[in-house]
CSV table of all heavy atoms in Angstrom, one decimal:
chain,number,residue,atom,x,y,z
P,1128,THR,N,220.5,187.4,-33.1
P,1128,THR,CA,220.3,188.6,-33.9
P,1128,THR,C,221.6,188.8,-34.8
P,1128,THR,O,222.6,188.1,-34.6
P,1128,THR,CB,220.1,189.8,-33.1
P,1128,THR,OG1,221.3,190.1,-32.3
P,1128,THR,CG2,218.9,189.7,-32.2
P,1129,ALA,N,221.5,189.8,-35.7
P,1129,ALA,CA,222.6,190.1,-36.5
P,1129,ALA,C,223.7,190.8,-35.7
P,1129,ALA,O,224.9,190.8,-36.2
P,1129,ALA,CB,222.1,191.1,-37.6
P,1130,ALA,N,223.4,191.3,-34.6
P,1130,ALA,CA,224.5,191.9,-33.7
P,1130,ALA,C,225.4,190.9,-33.2
P,1130,ALA,O,226.5,191.2,-32.8
P,1130,ALA,CB,223.8,192.7,-32.6
P,1131,SER,N,225.0,189.6,-33.0
P,1131,SER,CA,225.8,188.6,-32.4
P,1131,SER,C,226.2,187.4,-33.3
P,1131,SER,O,227.3,187.2,-33.6
P,1131,SER,CB,225.2,188.1,-31.1
P,1131,SER,OG,223.9,187.7,-31.4
P,1132,GLU,N,225.2,186.7,-33.8
P,1132,GLU,CA,225.5,185.4,-34.5
P,1132,GLU,C,225.1,185.4,-36.0
P,1132,GLU,O,225.7,184.8,-36.8
P,1132,GLU,CB,224.7,184.3,-33.8
P,1132,GLU,CG,225.2,183.9,-32.5
P,1132,GLU,CD,224.5,184.7,-31.4
P,1132,GLU,OE1,223.6,185.4,-31.7
P,1132,GLU,OE2,224.9,184.5,-30.2
P,1133,LEU,N,224.0,186.1,-36.4
P,1133,LEU,CA,223.5,186.0,-37.7
P,1133,LEU,C,224.0,187.1,-38.6
P,1133,LEU,O,224.3,188.2,-38.2
P,1133,LEU,CB,222.0,186.1,-37.7
P,1133,LEU,CG,221.2,185.0,-36.9
P,1133,LEU,CD1,219.7,185.2,-37.0
P,1133,LEU,CD2,221.6,183.6,-37.4
P,1134,PRO,N,224.2,186.9,-39.9
P,1134,PRO,CA,224.6,187.9,-40.9
P,1134,PRO,C,223.5,188.9,-41.2
P,1134,PRO,O,223.7,190.0,-41.6
P,1134,PRO,CB,225.0,187.2,-42.1
P,1134,PRO,CG,224.4,185.8,-42.0
P,1134,PRO,CD,224.2,185.5,-40.6
P,1135,ASN,N,222.2,188.5,-40.9
P,1135,ASN,CA,221.1,189.4,-41.2
P,1135,ASN,C,219.9,188.9,-40.3
P,1135,ASN,O,219.8,187.8,-40.0
P,1135,ASN,CB,220.7,189.3,-42.7
P,1135,ASN,CG,219.7,190.4,-43.1
P,1135,ASN,OD1,218.9,190.9,-42.3
P,1135,ASN,ND2,219.9,190.8,-44.4
P,1136,ASN,N,219.1,189.9,-39.9
P,1136,ASN,CA,217.9,189.5,-39.1
P,1136,ASN,C,216.8,188.9,-39.9
P,1136,ASN,O,215.8,188.4,-39.3
P,1136,ASN,CB,217.4,190.8,-38.3
P,1136,ASN,CG,218.3,191.1,-37.1
P,1136,ASN,OD1,218.9,190.2,-36.6
P,1136,ASN,ND2,218.3,192.3,-36.7
P,1137,ALA,N,216.8,189.1,-41.2
P,1137,ALA,CA,215.7,188.6,-42.1
P,1137,ALA,C,215.9,187.1,-42.3
P,1137,ALA,O,216.7,186.7,-43.3
P,1137,ALA,CB,215.6,189.3,-43.4
P,1138,VAL,N,215.4,186.2,-41.5
P,1138,VAL,CA,215.5,184.8,-41.7
P,1138,VAL,C,214.4,184.3,-42.6
P,1138,VAL,O,213.2,184.6,-42.4
P,1138,VAL,CB,215.4,184.1,-40.3
P,1138,VAL,CG1,215.3,182.6,-40.5
P,1138,VAL,CG2,216.5,184.5,-39.4
P,1139,ARG,N,214.8,183.6,-43.7
P,1139,ARG,CA,213.9,183.2,-44.7
P,1139,ARG,C,213.6,181.7,-44.7
P,1139,ARG,O,212.6,181.2,-45.2
P,1139,ARG,CB,214.4,183.6,-46.1
P,1139,ARG,CG,214.6,185.0,-46.3
P,1139,ARG,CD,213.3,185.7,-46.2
P,1139,ARG,NE,213.5,187.2,-46.4
P,1139,ARG,CZ,212.6,188.1,-46.0
P,1139,ARG,NH1,211.5,187.7,-45.4
P,1139,ARG,NH2,212.9,189.3,-46.3
P,1140,ALA,N,214.6,180.9,-44.1
P,1140,ALA,CA,214.4,179.4,-44.1
P,1140,ALA,C,215.1,178.8,-42.9
P,1140,ALA,O,216.1,179.3,-42.5
P,1140,ALA,CB,215.0,178.8,-45.4
P,1141,LEU,N,214.5,177.7,-42.4
P,1141,LEU,CA,215.1,177.0,-41.3
P,1141,LEU,C,215.0,175.5,-41.6
P,1141,LEU,O,214.0,175.1,-42.2
P,1141,LEU,CB,214.3,177.3,-40.0
P,1141,LEU,CG,214.4,178.6,-39.4
P,1141,LEU,CD1,213.4,178.8,-38.2
P,1141,LEU,CD2,215.8,178.9,-38.9
P,1142,LEU,N,216.0,174.8,-41.2
P,1142,LEU,CA,216.0,173.3,-41.4
P,1142,LEU,C,216.8,172.7,-40.3
P,1142,LEU,O,217.9,173.1,-40.0
P,1142,LEU,CB,216.6,172.9,-42.7
P,1142,LEU,CG,216.8,171.4,-43.0
P,1142,LEU,CD1,215.5,170.8,-43.3
P,1142,LEU,CD2,217.8,171.2,-44.0
P,1143,VAL,N,216.3,171.7,-39.7
P,1143,VAL,CA,217.0,170.8,-38.7
P,1143,VAL,C,217.3,169.5,-39.5
P,1143,VAL,O,216.3,168.8,-39.8
P,1143,VAL,CB,216.3,170.5,-37.4
P,1143,VAL,CG1,217.1,169.6,-36.5
P,1143,VAL,CG2,216.0,171.9,-36.7
P,1144,ASP,N,218.5,169.2,-39.8
P,1144,ASP,CA,218.8,168.0,-40.6
P,1144,ASP,C,218.9,166.8,-39.8
P,1144,ASP,O,218.6,166.8,-38.6
P,1144,ASP,CB,220.1,168.2,-41.5
P,1144,ASP,CG,221.3,168.3,-40.6
P,1144,ASP,OD1,221.3,168.1,-39.4
P,1144,ASP,OD2,222.4,168.6,-41.2
P,1145,SER,N,219.2,165.7,-40.4
P,1145,SER,CA,219.2,164.4,-39.7
P,1145,SER,C,220.3,164.2,-38.7
P,1145,SER,O,220.2,163.4,-37.8
P,1145,SER,CB,219.3,163.2,-40.8
P,1145,SER,OG,220.5,163.4,-41.5
P,1146,ASN,N,221.3,165.1,-38.7
P,1146,ASN,CA,222.4,165.1,-37.7
P,1146,ASN,C,222.1,166.1,-36.6
P,1146,ASN,O,223.0,166.5,-35.8
P,1146,ASN,CB,223.7,165.4,-38.4
P,1146,ASN,CG,224.1,164.4,-39.3
P,1146,ASN,OD1,223.8,163.2,-39.1
P,1146,ASN,ND2,224.7,164.8,-40.4
P,1147,ASN,N,220.9,166.7,-36.5
P,1147,ASN,CA,220.5,167.7,-35.5
P,1147,ASN,C,221.3,169.0,-35.6
P,1147,ASN,O,221.6,169.6,-34.6
P,1147,ASN,CB,220.5,167.1,-34.1
P,1147,ASN,CG,219.4,166.2,-33.8
P,1147,ASN,OD1,218.3,166.3,-34.4
P,1147,ASN,ND2,219.6,165.2,-33.0
P,1148,ILE,N,221.6,169.3,-36.8
P,1148,ILE,CA,222.3,170.6,-37.1
P,1148,ILE,C,221.2,171.6,-37.6
P,1148,ILE,O,220.4,171.2,-38.5
P,1148,ILE,CB,223.4,170.4,-38.1
P,1148,ILE,CG1,224.5,169.5,-37.6
P,1148,ILE,CG2,224.0,171.8,-38.5
P,1148,ILE,CD1,225.5,169.1,-38.5
P,1149,LEU,N,221.2,172.8,-37.1
P,1149,LEU,CA,220.2,173.8,-37.5
P,1149,LEU,C,220.8,174.6,-38.6
P,1149,LEU,O,221.9,175.2,-38.4
P,1149,LEU,CB,219.8,174.7,-36.3
P,1149,LEU,CG,218.9,175.9,-36.7
P,1149,LEU,CD1,217.5,175.4,-37.2
P,1149,LEU,CD2,218.7,176.7,-35.4
P,1150,TRP,N,220.2,174.7,-39.8
P,1150,TRP,CA,220.6,175.5,-40.9
P,1150,TRP,C,219.6,176.7,-41.0
P,1150,TRP,O,218.4,176.5,-41.0
P,1150,TRP,CB,220.6,174.7,-42.2
P,1150,TRP,CG,221.6,173.6,-42.2
P,1150,TRP,CD1,221.4,172.4,-41.7
P,1150,TRP,CD2,222.9,173.7,-42.7
P,1150,TRP,NE1,222.5,171.6,-41.9
P,1150,TRP,CE2,223.4,172.4,-42.5
P,1150,TRP,CE3,223.7,174.7,-43.3
P,1150,TRP,CZ2,224.8,172.1,-42.9
P,1150,TRP,CZ3,225.0,174.4,-43.6
P,1150,TRP,CH2,225.5,173.1,-43.4
P,1151,ILE,N,220.2,177.9,-41.0
P,1151,ILE,CA,219.4,179.2,-41.0
P,1151,ILE,C,219.7,179.9,-42.3
P,1151,ILE,O,220.9,180.3,-42.5
P,1151,ILE,CB,219.7,180.0,-39.8
P,1151,ILE,CG1,219.5,179.2,-38.5
P,1151,ILE,CG2,218.8,181.3,-39.8
P,1151,ILE,CD1,220.1,179.9,-37.3
P,1152,GLY,N,218.7,180.1,-43.2
P,1152,GLY,CA,218.9,180.8,-44.4
P,1152,GLY,C,218.5,182.3,-44.2
P,1152,GLY,O,217.3,182.5,-43.9
P,1153,THR,N,219.4,183.2,-44.4
P,1153,THR,CA,219.1,184.7,-44.3
P,1153,THR,C,219.2,185.3,-45.6
P,1153,THR,O,219.6,184.7,-46.6
P,1153,THR,CB,220.0,185.3,-43.2
P,1153,THR,OG1,221.3,185.4,-43.7
P,1153,THR,CG2,219.9,184.6,-41.9
P,1154,GLU,N,219.0,186.6,-45.7
P,1154,GLU,CA,219.2,187.4,-46.9
P,1154,GLU,C,220.7,187.7,-47.2
P,1154,GLU,O,221.0,188.1,-48.3
P,1154,GLU,CB,218.4,188.7,-46.9
P,1154,GLU,CG,216.9,188.5,-46.9
P,1154,GLU,CD,216.1,189.7,-47.1
P,1154,GLU,OE1,216.7,190.8,-47.0
P,1154,GLU,OE2,214.9,189.6,-47.2
P,1155,ASN,N,221.5,187.4,-46.2
P,1155,ASN,CA,223.0,187.6,-46.5
P,1155,ASN,C,223.8,186.4,-46.3
P,1155,ASN,O,225.0,186.5,-46.0
P,1155,ASN,CB,223.5,188.7,-45.5
P,1155,ASN,CG,223.0,190.1,-45.9
P,1155,ASN,OD1,222.3,190.3,-46.9
P,1155,ASN,ND2,223.3,191.1,-45.1
P,1156,GLY,N,223.2,185.2,-46.4
P,1156,GLY,CA,224.0,184.0,-46.3
P,1156,GLY,C,223.3,182.9,-45.5
P,1156,GLY,O,222.2,183.1,-45.1
P,1157,VAL,N,224.0,181.8,-45.3
P,1157,VAL,CA,223.5,180.7,-44.6
P,1157,VAL,C,224.3,180.5,-43.3
P,1157,VAL,O,225.5,180.6,-43.4
P,1157,VAL,CB,223.5,179.4,-45.5
P,1157,VAL,CG1,223.1,178.2,-44.7
P,1157,VAL,CG2,222.7,179.6,-46.7
P,1158,VAL,N,223.7,180.2,-42.2
P,1158,VAL,CA,224.3,179.9,-41.0
P,1158,VAL,C,224.1,178.5,-40.6
P,1158,VAL,O,223.0,178.0,-40.6
P,1158,VAL,CB,223.8,180.9,-39.9
P,1158,VAL,CG1,224.5,180.6,-38.6
P,1158,VAL,CG2,224.0,182.3,-40.3
P,1159,LYS,N,225.2,177.8,-40.1
P,1159,LYS,CA,225.1,176.5,-39.6
P,1159,LYS,C,225.3,176.5,-38.1
P,1159,LYS,O,226.4,177.0,-37.7
P,1159,LYS,CB,226.2,175.6,-40.3
P,1159,LYS,CG,226.3,174.2,-39.8
P,1159,LYS,CD,227.5,173.5,-40.5
P,1159,LYS,CE,227.8,172.2,-39.9
P,1159,LYS,NZ,228.9,171.5,-40.4
P,1160,LYS,N,224.3,176.1,-37.4
P,1160,LYS,CA,224.4,176.1,-35.9
P,1160,LYS,C,224.5,174.6,-35.4
P,1160,LYS,O,223.6,173.9,-35.5
P,1160,LYS,CB,223.2,176.7,-35.3
P,1160,LYS,CG,223.3,176.8,-33.7
P,1160,LYS,CD,222.0,177.3,-33.1
P,1160,LYS,CE,222.1,177.4,-31.6
P,1160,LYS,NZ,222.0,176.1,-31.0
P,1161,GLU,N,225.7,174.3,-34.9
P,1161,GLU,CA,225.9,173.0,-34.4
P,1161,GLU,C,226.3,173.1,-32.9
P,1161,GLU,O,227.3,173.7,-32.6
P,1161,GLU,CB,227.0,172.3,-35.2
P,1161,GLU,CG,227.2,170.8,-34.9
P,1161,GLU,CD,228.2,170.2,-35.8
P,1161,GLU,OE1,228.8,170.8,-36.6
P,1161,GLU,OE2,228.3,168.9,-35.7
P,1162,ASN,N,225.5,172.6,-32.0
P,1162,ASN,CA,225.6,172.8,-30.6
P,1162,ASN,C,225.5,174.3,-30.4
P,1162,ASN,O,224.4,174.9,-30.7
P,1162,ASN,CB,226.9,172.2,-30.0
P,1162,ASN,CG,226.9,170.7,-30.2
P,1162,ASN,OD1,225.9,170.1,-30.2
P,1162,ASN,ND2,228.1,170.2,-30.3
P,1163,ASP,N,226.4,175.0,-29.8
P,1163,ASP,CA,226.4,176.5,-29.7
P,1163,ASP,C,227.4,177.1,-30.6
P,1163,ASP,O,227.8,178.3,-30.3
P,1163,ASP,CB,226.5,176.9,-28.2
P,1163,ASP,CG,225.3,176.7,-27.5
P,1163,ASP,OD1,224.2,176.8,-28.1
P,1163,ASP,OD2,225.3,176.5,-26.2
P,1164,ASP,N,227.9,176.5,-31.6
P,1164,ASP,CA,228.9,177.0,-32.5
P,1164,ASP,C,228.2,177.4,-33.8
P,1164,ASP,O,227.5,176.6,-34.5
P,1164,ASP,CB,229.9,175.9,-32.8
P,1164,ASP,CG,231.0,176.4,-33.7
P,1164,ASP,OD1,231.4,177.6,-33.5
P,1164,ASP,OD2,231.5,175.6,-34.5
P,1165,PHE,N,228.4,178.7,-34.2
P,1165,PHE,CA,227.8,179.2,-35.4
P,1165,PHE,C,228.9,179.4,-36.5
P,1165,PHE,O,230.0,179.8,-36.2
P,1165,PHE,CB,227.2,180.6,-35.1
P,1165,PHE,CG,225.9,180.6,-34.3
P,1165,PHE,CD1,225.9,180.6,-33.0
P,1165,PHE,CD2,224.7,180.6,-35.0
P,1165,PHE,CE1,224.8,180.6,-32.2
P,1165,PHE,CE2,223.5,180.6,-34.3
P,1165,PHE,CZ,223.6,180.6,-32.9
P,1166,ARG,N,228.5,179.0,-37.7
P,1166,ARG,CA,229.4,179.1,-38.8
P,1166,ARG,C,228.7,179.7,-40.0
P,1166,ARG,O,227.7,179.1,-40.4
P,1166,ARG,CB,230.0,177.8,-39.2
P,1166,ARG,CG,231.0,177.9,-40.4
P,1166,ARG,CD,231.8,176.6,-40.6
P,1166,ARG,NE,232.7,176.8,-41.8
P,1166,ARG,CZ,232.6,176.2,-42.9
P,1166,ARG,NH1,231.6,175.3,-43.1
P,1166,ARG,NH2,233.4,176.5,-43.9
P,1167,SER,N,229.1,180.9,-40.5
P,1167,SER,CA,228.4,181.5,-41.6
P,1167,SER,C,229.0,181.1,-42.9
P,1167,SER,O,230.2,181.0,-43.0
P,1167,SER,CB,228.5,183.1,-41.4
P,1167,SER,OG,227.8,183.5,-40.2
P,1168,LEU,N,228.1,180.9,-43.9
P,1168,LEU,CA,228.6,180.6,-45.2
P,1168,LEU,C,228.1,181.6,-46.2
P,1168,LEU,O,226.9,182.0,-46.2
P,1168,LEU,CB,228.0,179.2,-45.6
P,1168,LEU,CG,228.3,178.0,-44.7
P,1168,LEU,CD1,227.5,176.8,-45.0
P,1168,LEU,CD2,229.8,177.7,-44.8
P,1169,PHE,N,229.0,182.1,-47.1
P,1169,PHE,CA,228.7,183.2,-48.0
P,1169,PHE,C,229.1,182.7,-49.4
P,1169,PHE,O,229.4,181.6,-49.7
P,1169,PHE,CB,229.4,184.4,-47.7
P,1169,PHE,CG,229.1,184.9,-46.3
P,1169,PHE,CD1,230.0,184.7,-45.2
P,1169,PHE,CD2,227.9,185.5,-46.0
P,1169,PHE,CE1,229.8,185.2,-44.0
P,1169,PHE,CE2,227.6,186.0,-44.7
P,1169,PHE,CZ,228.5,185.8,-43.7
P,1170,GLU,N,229.0,183.6,-50.4
P,1170,GLU,CA,229.4,183.3,-51.8
P,1170,GLU,C,230.8,182.9,-51.9
P,1170,GLU,O,231.2,182.0,-52.7
P,1170,GLU,CB,229.2,184.6,-52.7
P,1170,GLU,CG,227.8,184.9,-53.0
P,1170,GLU,CD,227.6,186.1,-53.9
P,1170,GLU,OE1,228.6,186.6,-54.5
P,1170,GLU,OE2,226.5,186.5,-54.1
P,1171,GLU,N,231.7,183.4,-51.0
P,1171,GLU,CA,233.1,183.0,-51.0
P,1171,GLU,C,233.3,181.5,-50.6
P,1171,GLU,O,234.3,180.9,-50.9
P,1171,GLU,CB,233.9,183.8,-50.1
P,1171,GLU,CG,233.9,185.3,-50.4
P,1171,GLU,CD,232.7,186.0,-49.8
P,1171,GLU,OE1,232.2,185.7,-48.7
P,1171,GLU,OE2,232.2,186.9,-50.5
P,1172,ASP,N,232.3,181.0,-49.9
P,1172,ASP,CA,232.3,179.6,-49.4
P,1172,ASP,C,231.7,178.6,-50.4
P,1172,ASP,O,231.6,177.4,-50.1
P,1172,ASP,CB,231.7,179.5,-48.0
P,1172,ASP,CG,232.4,180.3,-47.0
P,1172,ASP,OD1,233.6,180.3,-47.0
P,1172,ASP,OD2,231.7,181.0,-46.3
P,1173,GLY,N,231.1,179.1,-51.5
P,1173,GLY,CA,230.5,178.2,-52.5
P,1173,GLY,C,229.0,178.4,-52.7
P,1173,GLY,O,228.5,177.7,-53.5
P,1174,LEU,N,228.4,179.3,-52.0
P,1174,LEU,CA,227.0,179.6,-52.3
P,1174,LEU,C,226.8,180.3,-53.6
P,1174,LEU,O,227.6,181.1,-54.0
P,1174,LEU,CB,226.3,180.4,-51.2
P,1174,LEU,CG,226.2,179.8,-49.8
P,1174,LEU,CD1,225.6,180.9,-48.9
P,1174,LEU,CD2,225.3,178.6,-49.9
P,1175,ALA,N,225.7,180.0,-54.3
P,1175,ALA,CA,225.5,180.6,-55.6
P,1175,ALA,C,225.2,182.1,-55.4
P,1175,ALA,O,225.6,183.0,-56.1
P,1175,ALA,CB,224.3,179.9,-56.3
P,1176,LEU,N,224.3,182.4,-54.4
P,1176,LEU,CA,224.0,183.8,-54.0
P,1176,LEU,C,223.9,183.8,-52.5
P,1176,LEU,O,223.7,182.8,-51.8
P,1176,LEU,CB,222.6,184.1,-54.6
P,1176,LEU,CG,222.4,184.2,-56.1
P,1176,LEU,CD1,221.0,184.3,-56.5
P,1176,LEU,CD2,223.2,185.3,-56.7
P,1177,ASN,N,224.1,185.0,-52.0
P,1177,ASN,CA,224.1,185.2,-50.5
P,1177,ASN,C,222.6,185.0,-50.0
P,1177,ASN,O,222.4,184.6,-48.9
P,1177,ASN,CB,224.7,186.5,-50.1
P,1177,ASN,CG,226.1,186.4,-49.9
P,1177,ASN,OD1,226.7,185.4,-49.7
P,1177,ASN,ND2,226.8,187.6,-49.9
P,1178,SER,N,221.7,185.4,-50.8
P,1178,SER,CA,220.3,185.4,-50.4
P,1178,SER,C,219.8,183.9,-50.4
P,1178,SER,O,219.8,183.3,-51.5
P,1178,SER,CB,219.4,186.3,-51.2
P,1178,SER,OG,218.1,186.3,-50.8
Side-chain angles (χ1 to χ4, degrees):
T1128 63
S1131 54
E1132 292 91 3
L1133 300 179
N1135 193 329
N1136 282 335
V1138 174
R1139 302 296 181 198
L1141 292 171
L1142 173 77
V1143 178
D1144 67 7
S1145 59
N1146 297 324
N1147 285 331
I1148 298 173
L1149 176 64
W1150 295 87
I1151 306 167
T1153 69
E1154 289 187 358
N1155 289 355
V1157 175
V1158 178
K1159 175 184 174 183
K1160 180 184 181 285
E1161 189 171 8
N1162 298 328
D1163 279 333
D1164 183 38
F1165 287 86
R1166 181 168 179 248
S1167 297
L1168 304 169
F1169 302 104
E1170 286 182 10
E1171 301 84 35
D1172 300 314
L1174 290 179
L1176 297 170
N1177 273 340
S1178 183

